[in-house]
Amino acid sequence: MARITVQERERKKAELDDIVLSIFWNEGIEALTYSRVAELYNTSRGAVQRYYPSQNDLYASMRGKVMPLMMAKLDWSNADAFYSSWVNSLSDKDDIRFQRVIELLFHHTLKSPSSQSAIAAVEKLTEQVEMRFGDDSMIKRLLGESFLHLLKS
């Protein structure tokens, strides 16, 4: 097998990372498989696995790219604005990326074993809501409503 340069490997990895993120945004976390990435990159599953040895490596390629989008959609000016911005973002049929982030958080915190990065993200979000609004009742309510929303969608 021919060796590729470091630059070529980095270029291919960046292209694959873009595909991973695209699948996540457009099709959801359940569609994020080696086979789907390979299909869109026009390569084999094995070739994809050389860049992402485990499923967790696929997810890690999205780190730092999904939570900032979620946070940017939230209005932190007051409790009512925060609640409304969450519900509106979750229900936005024209831009489902907020919903995808919520799906990702639920998926990774409920799998066994739970993802430490997902748990940390939920804990950080909870802390921010507690600091801003005084307690965790708002985030509990919104996570519950998010769960019910996902059941219906």
mmCIF file with all atom_site columns, all heavy atoms in Angstrom, residues 49-72:
data_model
loop_
_atom_site.group_PDB
_atom_site.id
_atom_site.type_symbol
_atom_site.label_atom_id
_atom_site.label_alt_id
_atom_site.label_comp_id
_atom_site.label_asym_id
_atom_site.label_entity_id
_atom_site.label_seq_id
_atom_site.pdbx_PDB_ins_code
_atom_site.Cartn_x
_atom_site.Cartn_y
_atom_site.Cartn_z
_atom_site.occupancy
_atom_site.B_iso_or_equiv
_atom_site.pdbx_formal_charge
_atom_site.auth_seq_id
_atom_site.auth_comp_id
_atom_site.auth_asym_id
_atom_site.auth_atom_id
_atom_site.pdbx_PDB_model_num
ATOM 1   N N   . GLN A 1 49 ? -12.144 3.627  8.953  1.00 0.00 ? 49 GLN A N   1
ATOM 2   C CA  . GLN A 1 49 ? -11.715 3.178  10.276 1.00 0.00 ? 49 GLN A CA  1
ATOM 3   C C   . GLN A 1 49 ? -10.247 3.478  10.556 1.00 0.00 ? 49 GLN A C   1
ATOM 4   O O   . GLN A 1 49 ? -9.846  3.581  11.714 1.00 0.00 ? 49 GLN A O   1
ATOM 5   C CB  . GLN A 1 49 ? -12.004 1.688  10.451 1.00 0.00 ? 49 GLN A CB  1
ATOM 6   C CG  . GLN A 1 49 ? -13.489 1.432  10.674 1.00 0.00 ? 49 GLN A CG  1
ATOM 7   C CD  . GLN A 1 49 ? -13.803 -0.031 10.805 1.00 0.00 ? 49 GLN A CD  1
ATOM 8   O OE1 . GLN A 1 49 ? -13.558 -0.812 9.902  1.00 0.00 ? 49 GLN A OE1 1
ATOM 9   N NE2 . GLN A 1 49 ? -14.363 -0.399 11.939 1.00 0.00 ? 49 GLN A NE2 1
ATOM 10  N N   . ARG A 1 50 ? -9.459  3.651  9.517  1.00 0.00 ? 50 ARG A N   1
ATOM 11  C CA  . ARG A 1 50 ? -8.062  4.038  9.743  1.00 0.00 ? 50 ARG A CA  1
ATOM 12  C C   . ARG A 1 50 ? -7.976  5.461  10.315 1.00 0.00 ? 50 ARG A C   1
ATOM 13  O O   . ARG A 1 50 ? -7.028  5.793  11.025 1.00 0.00 ? 50 ARG A O   1
ATOM 14  C CB  . ARG A 1 50 ? -7.255  3.924  8.449  1.00 0.00 ? 50 ARG A CB  1
ATOM 15  C CG  . ARG A 1 50 ? -6.895  2.476  8.104  1.00 0.00 ? 50 ARG A CG  1
ATOM 16  C CD  . ARG A 1 50 ? -5.870  2.381  7.001  1.00 0.00 ? 50 ARG A CD  1
ATOM 17  N NE  . ARG A 1 50 ? -6.392  2.661  5.683  1.00 0.00 ? 50 ARG A NE  1
ATOM 18  C CZ  . ARG A 1 50 ? -7.060  1.799  4.919  1.00 0.00 ? 50 ARG A CZ  1
ATOM 19  N NH1 . ARG A 1 50 ? -7.304  0.581  5.355  1.00 0.00 ? 50 ARG A NH1 1
ATOM 20  N NH2 . ARG A 1 50 ? -7.480  2.142  3.722  1.00 0.00 ? 50 ARG A NH2 1
ATOM 21  N N   . TYR A 1 51 ? -8.962  6.285  9.994  1.00 0.00 ? 51 TYR A N   1
ATOM 22  C CA  . TYR A 1 51 ? -8.992  7.648  10.518 1.00 0.00 ? 51 TYR A CA  1
ATOM 23  C C   . TYR A 1 51 ? -9.752  7.740  11.843 1.00 0.00 ? 51 TYR A C   1
ATOM 24  O O   . TYR A 1 51 ? -9.486  8.617  12.656 1.00 0.00 ? 51 TYR A O   1
ATOM 25  C CB  . TYR A 1 51 ? -9.627  8.595  9.495  1.00 0.00 ? 51 TYR A CB  1
ATOM 26  C CG  . TYR A 1 51 ? -8.744  8.822  8.293  1.00 0.00 ? 51 TYR A CG  1
ATOM 27  C CD1 . TYR A 1 51 ? -8.801  7.974  7.192  1.00 0.00 ? 51 TYR A CD1 1
ATOM 28  C CD2 . TYR A 1 51 ? -7.832  9.872  8.278  1.00 0.00 ? 51 TYR A CD2 1
ATOM 29  C CE1 . TYR A 1 51 ? -7.975  8.174  6.096  1.00 0.00 ? 51 TYR A CE1 1
ATOM 30  C CE2 . TYR A 1 51 ? -7.000  10.074 7.189  1.00 0.00 ? 51 TYR A CE2 1
ATOM 31  C CZ  . TYR A 1 51 ? -7.082  9.218  6.101  1.00 0.00 ? 51 TYR A CZ  1
ATOM 32  O OH  . TYR A 1 51 ? -6.252  9.417  5.028  1.00 0.00 ? 51 TYR A OH  1
ATOM 33  N N   . TYR A 1 52 ? -10.712 6.844  12.029 1.00 0.00 ? 52 TYR A N   1
ATOM 34  C CA  . TYR A 1 52 ? -11.540 6.803  13.234 1.00 0.00 ? 52 TYR A CA  1
ATOM 35  C C   . TYR A 1 52 ? -11.565 5.363  13.749 1.00 0.00 ? 52 TYR A C   1
ATOM 36  O O   . TYR A 1 52 ? -12.478 4.600  13.420 1.00 0.00 ? 52 TYR A O   1
ATOM 37  C CB  . TYR A 1 52 ? -12.975 7.257  12.934 1.00 0.00 ? 52 TYR A CB  1
ATOM 38  C CG  . TYR A 1 52 ? -13.079 8.575  12.217 1.00 0.00 ? 52 TYR A CG  1
ATOM 39  C CD1 . TYR A 1 52 ? -13.323 8.614  10.843 1.00 0.00 ? 52 TYR A CD1 1
ATOM 40  C CD2 . TYR A 1 52 ? -12.940 9.774  12.904 1.00 0.00 ? 52 TYR A CD2 1
ATOM 41  C CE1 . TYR A 1 52 ? -13.431 9.824  10.175 1.00 0.00 ? 52 TYR A CE1 1
ATOM 42  C CE2 . TYR A 1 52 ? -13.050 10.989 12.238 1.00 0.00 ? 52 TYR A CE2 1
ATOM 43  C CZ  . TYR A 1 52 ? -13.294 11.003 10.872 1.00 0.00 ? 52 TYR A CZ  1
ATOM 44  O OH  . TYR A 1 52 ? -13.402 12.197 10.212 1.00 0.00 ? 52 TYR A OH  1
ATOM 45  N N   . PRO A 1 53 ? -10.576 4.967  14.535 1.00 0.00 ? 53 PRO A N   1
ATOM 46  C CA  . PRO A 1 53 ? -10.499 3.572  14.988 1.00 0.00 ? 53 PRO A CA  1
ATOM 47  C C   . PRO A 1 53 ? -11.721 3.100  15.783 1.00 0.00 ? 53 PRO A C   1
ATOM 48  O O   . PRO A 1 53 ? -12.050 1.928  15.767 1.00 0.00 ? 53 PRO A O   1
ATOM 49  C CB  . PRO A 1 53 ? -9.247  3.546  15.855 1.00 0.00 ? 53 PRO A CB  1
ATOM 50  C CG  . PRO A 1 53 ? -8.433  4.708  15.391 1.00 0.00 ? 53 PRO A CG  1
ATOM 51  C CD  . PRO A 1 53 ? -9.419  5.747  14.953 1.00 0.00 ? 53 PRO A CD  1
ATOM 52  N N   . SER A 1 54 ? -12.392 4.012  16.467 1.00 0.00 ? 54 SER A N   1
ATOM 53  C CA  . SER A 1 54 ? -13.581 3.628  17.226 1.00 0.00 ? 54 SER A CA  1
ATOM 54  C C   . SER A 1 54 ? -14.720 4.598  16.914 1.00 0.00 ? 54 SER A C   1
ATOM 55  O O   . SER A 1 54 ? -14.496 5.701  16.404 1.00 0.00 ? 54 SER A O   1
ATOM 56  C CB  . SER A 1 54 ? -13.295 3.659  18.733 1.00 0.00 ? 54 SER A CB  1
ATOM 57  O OG  . SER A 1 54 ? -13.219 4.997  19.185 1.00 0.00 ? 54 SER A OG  1
ATOM 58  N N   . GLN A 1 55 ? -15.924 4.175  17.251 1.00 0.00 ? 55 GLN A N   1
ATOM 59  C CA  . GLN A 1 55 ? -17.091 5.045  17.072 1.00 0.00 ? 55 GLN A CA  1
ATOM 60  C C   . GLN A 1 55 ? -16.911 6.337  17.861 1.00 0.00 ? 55 GLN A C   1
ATOM 61  O O   . GLN A 1 55 ? -17.299 7.405  17.407 1.00 0.00 ? 55 GLN A O   1
ATOM 62  C CB  . GLN A 1 55 ? -18.361 4.300  17.523 1.00 0.00 ? 55 GLN A CB  1
ATOM 63  C CG  . GLN A 1 55 ? -19.650 4.987  17.152 1.00 0.00 ? 55 GLN A CG  1
ATOM 64  C CD  . GLN A 1 55 ? -20.012 4.864  15.693 1.00 0.00 ? 55 GLN A CD  1
ATOM 65  O OE1 . GLN A 1 55 ? -19.616 3.935  15.023 1.00 0.00 ? 55 GLN A OE1 1
ATOM 66  N NE2 . GLN A 1 55 ? -20.758 5.822  15.190 1.00 0.00 ? 55 GLN A NE2 1
ATOM 67  N N   . ASN A 1 56 ? -16.289 6.237  19.016 1.00 0.00 ? 56 ASN A N   1
ATOM 68  C CA  . ASN A 1 56 ? -16.042 7.435  19.820 1.00 0.00 ? 56 ASN A CA  1
ATOM 69  C C   . ASN A 1 56 ? -15.143 8.433  19.096 1.00 0.00 ? 56 ASN A C   1
ATOM 70  O O   . ASN A 1 56 ? -15.251 9.636  19.300 1.00 0.00 ? 56 ASN A O   1
ATOM 71  C CB  . ASN A 1 56 ? -15.448 7.068  21.180 1.00 0.00 ? 56 ASN A CB  1
ATOM 72  C CG  . ASN A 1 56 ? -16.485 6.478  22.100 1.00 0.00 ? 56 ASN A CG  1
ATOM 73  O OD1 . ASN A 1 56 ? -17.672 6.718  21.956 1.00 0.00 ? 56 ASN A OD1 1
ATOM 74  N ND2 . ASN A 1 56 ? -16.028 5.686  23.049 1.00 0.00 ? 56 ASN A ND2 1
ATOM 75  N N   . ASP A 1 57 ? -14.246 7.935  18.242 1.00 0.00 ? 57 ASP A N   1
ATOM 76  C CA  . ASP A 1 57 ? -13.397 8.834  17.456 1.00 0.00 ? 57 ASP A CA  1
ATOM 77  C C   . ASP A 1 57 ? -14.228 9.605  16.426 1.00 0.00 ? 57 ASP A C   1
ATOM 78  O O   . ASP A 1 57 ? -13.923 10.764 16.127 1.00 0.00 ? 57 ASP A O   1
ATOM 79  C CB  . ASP A 1 57 ? -12.280 8.053  16.769 1.00 0.00 ? 57 ASP A CB  1
ATOM 80  C CG  . ASP A 1 57 ? -11.292 7.468  17.768 1.00 0.00 ? 57 ASP A CG  1
ATOM 81  O OD1 . ASP A 1 57 ? -10.854 8.209  18.664 1.00 0.00 ? 57 ASP A OD1 1
ATOM 82  O OD2 . ASP A 1 57 ? -10.980 6.271  17.653 1.00 0.00 ? 57 ASP A OD2 1
ATOM 83  N N   . LEU A 1 58 ? -15.257 8.949  15.889 1.00 0.00 ? 58 LEU A N   1
ATOM 84  C CA  . LEU A 1 58 ? -16.181 9.660  14.991 1.00 0.00 ? 58 LEU A CA  1
ATOM 85  C C   . LEU A 1 58 ? -16.826 10.819 15.741 1.00 0.00 ? 58 LEU A C   1
ATOM 86  O O   . LEU A 1 58 ? -16.852 11.949 15.258 1.00 0.00 ? 58 LEU A O   1
ATOM 87  C CB  . LEU A 1 58 ? -17.288 8.724  14.489 1.00 0.00 ? 58 LEU A CB  1
ATOM 88  C CG  . LEU A 1 58 ? -17.020 7.868  13.280 1.00 0.00 ? 58 LEU A CG  1
ATOM 89  C CD1 . LEU A 1 58 ? -18.194 6.932  13.022 1.00 0.00 ? 58 LEU A CD1 1
ATOM 90  C CD2 . LEU A 1 58 ? -16.743 8.696  12.052 1.00 0.00 ? 58 LEU A CD2 1
ATOM 91  N N   . TYR A 1 59 ? -17.352 10.529 16.922 1.00 0.00 ? 59 TYR A N   1
ATOM 92  C CA  . TYR A 1 59 ? -18.009 11.564 17.720 1.00 0.00 ? 59 TYR A CA  1
ATOM 93  C C   . TYR A 1 59 ? -17.023 12.654 18.127 1.00 0.00 ? 59 TYR A C   1
ATOM 94  O O   . TYR A 1 59 ? -17.364 13.834 18.130 1.00 0.00 ? 59 TYR A O   1
ATOM 95  C CB  . TYR A 1 59 ? -18.650 10.959 18.974 1.00 0.00 ? 59 TYR A CB  1
ATOM 96  C CG  . TYR A 1 59 ? -19.662 9.880  18.702 1.00 0.00 ? 59 TYR A CG  1
ATOM 97  C CD1 . TYR A 1 59 ? -19.729 8.754  19.507 1.00 0.00 ? 59 TYR A CD1 1
ATOM 98  C CD2 . TYR A 1 59 ? -20.557 9.964  17.637 1.00 0.00 ? 59 TYR A CD2 1
ATOM 99  C CE1 . TYR A 1 59 ? -20.663 7.751  19.268 1.00 0.00 ? 59 TYR A CE1 1
ATOM 100 C CE2 . TYR A 1 59 ? -21.487 8.962  17.395 1.00 0.00 ? 59 TYR A CE2 1
ATOM 101 C CZ  . TYR A 1 59 ? -21.537 7.862  18.217 1.00 0.00 ? 59 TYR A CZ  1
ATOM 102 O OH  . TYR A 1 59 ? -22.451 6.876  17.990 1.00 0.00 ? 59 TYR A OH  1
ATOM 103 N N   . ALA A 1 60 ? -15.801 12.254 18.468 1.00 0.00 ? 60 ALA A N   1
ATOM 104 C CA  . ALA A 1 60 ? -14.791 13.222 18.909 1.00 0.00 ? 60 ALA A CA  1
ATOM 105 C C   . ALA A 1 60 ? -14.468 14.234 17.815 1.00 0.00 ? 60 ALA A C   1
ATOM 106 O O   . ALA A 1 60 ? -14.104 15.371 18.109 1.00 0.00 ? 60 ALA A O   1
ATOM 107 C CB  . ALA A 1 60 ? -13.525 12.500 19.364 1.00 0.00 ? 60 ALA A CB  1
ATOM 108 N N   . SER A 1 61 ? -14.624 13.826 16.563 1.00 0.00 ? 61 SER A N   1
ATOM 109 C CA  . SER A 1 61 ? -14.336 14.759 15.468 1.00 0.00 ? 61 SER A CA  1
ATOM 110 C C   . SER A 1 61 ? -15.308 15.939 15.445 1.00 0.00 ? 61 SER A C   1
ATOM 111 O O   . SER A 1 61 ? -15.040 16.949 14.806 1.00 0.00 ? 61 SER A O   1
ATOM 112 C CB  . SER A 1 61 ? -14.348 14.024 14.125 1.00 0.00 ? 61 SER A CB  1
ATOM 113 O OG  . SER A 1 61 ? -15.668 13.677 13.747 1.00 0.00 ? 61 SER A OG  1
ATOM 114 N N   . MET A 1 62 ? -16.426 15.821 16.165 1.00 0.00 ? 62 MET A N   1
ATOM 115 C CA  . MET A 1 62 ? -17.413 16.912 16.223 1.00 0.00 ? 62 MET A CA  1
ATOM 116 C C   . MET A 1 62 ? -17.214 17.801 17.449 1.00 0.00 ? 62 MET A C   1
ATOM 117 O O   . MET A 1 62 ? -17.867 18.840 17.570 1.00 0.00 ? 62 MET A O   1
ATOM 118 C CB  . MET A 1 62 ? -18.835 16.333 16.246 1.00 0.00 ? 62 MET A CB  1
ATOM 119 C CG  . MET A 1 62 ? -19.185 15.534 15.024 1.00 0.00 ? 62 MET A CG  1
ATOM 120 S SD  . MET A 1 62 ? -20.916 15.035 14.976 1.00 0.00 ? 62 MET A SD  1
ATOM 121 C CE  . MET A 1 62 ? -21.086 14.080 16.469 1.00 0.00 ? 62 MET A CE  1
ATOM 122 N N   . ARG A 1 63 ? -16.310 17.390 18.335 1.00 0.00 ? 63 ARG A N   1
ATOM 123 C CA  . ARG A 1 63 ? -16.097 18.129 19.577 1.00 0.00 ? 63 ARG A CA  1
ATOM 124 C C   . ARG A 1 63 ? -15.742 19.587 19.268 1.00 0.00 ? 63 ARG A C   1
ATOM 125 O O   . ARG A 1 63 ? -14.915 19.873 18.417 1.00 0.00 ? 63 ARG A O   1
ATOM 126 C CB  . ARG A 1 63 ? -14.983 17.469 20.387 1.00 0.00 ? 63 ARG A CB  1
ATOM 127 C CG  . ARG A 1 63 ? -14.931 17.963 21.820 1.00 0.00 ? 63 ARG A CG  1
ATOM 128 C CD  . ARG A 1 63 ? -14.046 17.120 22.702 1.00 0.00 ? 63 ARG A CD  1
ATOM 129 N NE  . ARG A 1 63 ? -14.686 15.815 22.941 1.00 0.00 ? 63 ARG A NE  1
ATOM 130 C CZ  . ARG A 1 63 ? -14.071 14.647 22.825 1.00 0.00 ? 63 ARG A CZ  1
ATOM 131 N NH1 . ARG A 1 63 ? -12.816 14.593 22.487 1.00 0.00 ? 63 ARG A NH1 1
ATOM 132 N NH2 . ARG A 1 63 ? -14.716 13.522 23.067 1.00 0.00 ? 63 ARG A NH2 1
ATOM 133 N N   . GLY A 1 64 ? -16.397 20.468 19.970 1.00 0.00 ? 64 GLY A N   1
ATOM 134 C CA  . GLY A 1 64 ? -16.159 21.899 19.795 1.00 0.00 ? 64 GLY A CA  1
ATOM 135 C C   . GLY A 1 64 ? -16.929 22.515 18.642 1.00 0.00 ? 64 GLY A C   1
ATOM 136 O O   . GLY A 1 64 ? -16.833 23.719 18.402 1.00 0.00 ? 64 GLY A O   1
ATOM 137 N N   . LYS A 1 65 ? -17.712 21.713 17.933 1.00 0.00 ? 65 LYS A N   1
ATOM 138 C CA  . LYS A 1 65 ? -18.442 22.215 16.766 1.00 0.00 ? 65 LYS A CA  1
ATOM 139 C C   . LYS A 1 65 ? -19.952 22.226 16.956 1.00 0.00 ? 65 LYS A C   1
ATOM 140 O O   . LYS A 1 65 ? -20.646 22.887 16.194 1.00 0.00 ? 65 LYS A O   1
ATOM 141 C CB  . LYS A 1 65 ? -18.100 21.376 15.535 1.00 0.00 ? 65 LYS A CB  1
ATOM 142 C CG  . LYS A 1 65 ? -16.631 21.418 15.175 1.00 0.00 ? 65 LYS A CG  1
ATOM 143 C CD  . LYS A 1 65 ? -16.301 20.465 14.065 1.00 0.00 ? 65 LYS A CD  1
ATOM 144 C CE  . LYS A 1 65 ? -14.800 20.425 13.813 1.00 0.00 ? 65 LYS A CE  1
ATOM 145 N NZ  . LYS A 1 65 ? -14.413 19.325 12.937 1.00 0.00 ? 65 LYS A NZ  1
ATOM 146 N N   . VAL A 1 66 ? -20.468 21.496 17.936 1.00 0.00 ? 66 VAL A N   1
ATOM 147 C CA  . VAL A 1 66 ? -21.914 21.404 18.075 1.00 0.00 ? 66 VAL A CA  1
ATOM 148 C C   . VAL A 1 66 ? -22.464 22.216 19.255 1.00 0.00 ? 66 VAL A C   1
ATOM 149 O O   . VAL A 1 66 ? -23.472 22.905 19.108 1.00 0.00 ? 66 VAL A O   1
ATOM 150 C CB  . VAL A 1 66 ? -22.409 19.940 18.126 1.00 0.00 ? 66 VAL A CB  1
ATOM 151 C CG1 . VAL A 1 66 ? -22.109 19.228 16.834 1.00 0.00 ? 66 VAL A CG1 1
ATOM 152 C CG2 . VAL A 1 66 ? -21.825 19.179 19.282 1.00 0.00 ? 66 VAL A CG2 1
ATOM 153 N N   . MET A 1 67 ? -21.829 22.136 20.413 1.00 0.00 ? 67 MET A N   1
ATOM 154 C CA  . MET A 1 67 ? -22.331 22.879 21.573 1.00 0.00 ? 67 MET A CA  1
ATOM 155 C C   . MET A 1 67 ? -22.290 24.392 21.365 1.00 0.00 ? 67 MET A C   1
ATOM 156 O O   . MET A 1 67 ? -23.222 25.077 21.781 1.00 0.00 ? 67 MET A O   1
ATOM 157 C CB  . MET A 1 67 ? -21.577 22.480 22.843 1.00 0.00 ? 67 MET A CB  1
ATOM 158 C CG  . MET A 1 67 ? -21.956 21.118 23.387 1.00 0.00 ? 67 MET A CG  1
ATOM 159 S SD  . MET A 1 67 ? -23.705 20.908 23.781 1.00 0.00 ? 67 MET A SD  1
ATOM 160 C CE  . MET A 1 67 ? -23.857 21.924 25.243 1.00 0.00 ? 67 MET A CE  1
ATOM 161 N N   . PRO A 1 68 ? -21.266 24.947 20.719 1.00 0.00 ? 68 PRO A N   1
ATOM 162 C CA  . PRO A 1 68 ? -21.288 26.397 20.495 1.00 0.00 ? 68 PRO A CA  1
ATOM 163 C C   . PRO A 1 68 ? -22.516 26.848 19.690 1.00 0.00 ? 68 PRO A C   1
ATOM 164 O O   . PRO A 1 68 ? -23.083 27.910 19.951 1.00 0.00 ? 68 PRO A O   1
ATOM 165 C CB  . PRO A 1 68 ? -19.989 26.665 19.722 1.00 0.00 ? 68 PRO A CB  1
ATOM 166 C CG  . PRO A 1 68 ? -19.073 25.576 20.180 1.00 0.00 ? 68 PRO A CG  1
ATOM 167 C CD  . PRO A 1 68 ? -19.977 24.367 20.328 1.00 0.00 ? 68 PRO A CD  1
ATOM 168 N N   . LEU A 1 69 ? -22.947 26.034 18.741 1.00 0.00 ? 69 LEU A N   1
ATOM 169 C CA  . LEU A 1 69 ? -24.138 26.389 17.970 1.00 0.00 ? 69 LEU A CA  1
ATOM 170 C C   . LEU A 1 69 ? -25.355 26.417 18.887 1.00 0.00 ? 69 LEU A C   1
ATOM 171 O O   . LEU A 1 69 ? -26.166 27.340 18.834 1.00 0.00 ? 69 LEU A O   1
ATOM 172 C CB  . LEU A 1 69 ? -24.370 25.387 16.840 1.00 0.00 ? 69 LEU A CB  1
ATOM 173 C CG  . LEU A 1 69 ? -25.610 25.709 16.029 1.00 0.00 ? 69 LEU A CG  1
ATOM 174 C CD1 . LEU A 1 69 ? -25.307 25.717 14.565 1.00 0.00 ? 69 LEU A CD1 1
ATOM 175 C CD2 . LEU A 1 69 ? -26.745 24.780 16.365 1.00 0.00 ? 69 LEU A CD2 1
ATOM 176 N N   . MET A 1 70 ? -25.473 25.417 19.729 1.00 0.00 ? 70 MET A N   1
ATOM 177 C CA  . MET A 1 70 ? -26.600 25.371 20.662 1.00 0.00 ? 70 MET A CA  1
ATOM 178 C C   . MET A 1 70 ? -26.597 26.593 21.568 1.00 0.00 ? 70 MET A C   1
ATOM 179 O O   . MET A 1 70 ? -27.624 27.254 21.742 1.00 0.00 ? 70 MET A O   1
ATOM 180 C CB  . MET A 1 70 ? -26.531 24.093 21.497 1.00 0.00 ? 70 MET A CB  1
ATOM 181 C CG  . MET A 1 70 ? -27.607 23.988 22.535 1.00 0.00 ? 70 MET A CG  1
ATOM 182 S SD  . MET A 1 70 ? -27.308 22.551 23.583 1.00 0.00 ? 70 MET A SD  1
ATOM 183 C CE  . MET A 1 70 ? -28.602 22.782 24.780 1.00 0.00 ? 70 MET A CE  1
ATOM 184 N N   . MET A 1 71 ? -25.454 26.885 22.143 1.00 0.00 ? 71 MET A N   1
ATOM 185 C CA  . MET A 1 71 ? -25.346 28.001 23.081 1.00 0.00 ? 71 MET A CA  1
ATOM 186 C C   . MET A 1 71 ? -25.655 29.338 22.405 1.00 0.00 ? 71 MET A C   1
ATOM 187 O O   . MET A 1 71 ? -26.259 30.218 23.020 1.00 0.00 ? 71 MET A O   1
ATOM 188 C CB  . MET A 1 71 ? -23.968 28.031 23.720 1.00 0.00 ? 71 MET A CB  1
ATOM 189 C CG  . MET A 1 71 ? -23.638 26.760 24.507 1.00 0.00 ? 71 MET A CG  1
ATOM 190 S SD  . MET A 1 71 ? -24.823 26.373 25.789 1.00 0.00 ? 71 MET A SD  1
ATOM 191 C CE  . MET A 1 71 ? -24.193 27.385 27.097 1.00 0.00 ? 71 MET A CE  1
ATOM 192 N N   . ALA A 1 72 ? -25.279 29.473 21.148 1.00 0.00 ? 72 ALA A N   1
ATOM 193 C CA  . ALA A 1 72 ? -25.522 30.721 20.419 1.00 0.00 ? 72 ALA A CA  1
ATOM 194 C C   . ALA A 1 72 ? -27.010 30.956 20.162 1.00 0.00 ? 72 ALA A C   1
ATOM 195 O O   . ALA A 1 72 ? -27.434 32.097 19.990 1.00 0.00 ? 72 ALA A O   1
ATOM 196 C CB  . ALA A 1 72 ? -24.757 30.709 19.099 1.00 0.00 ? 72 ALA A CB  1
#
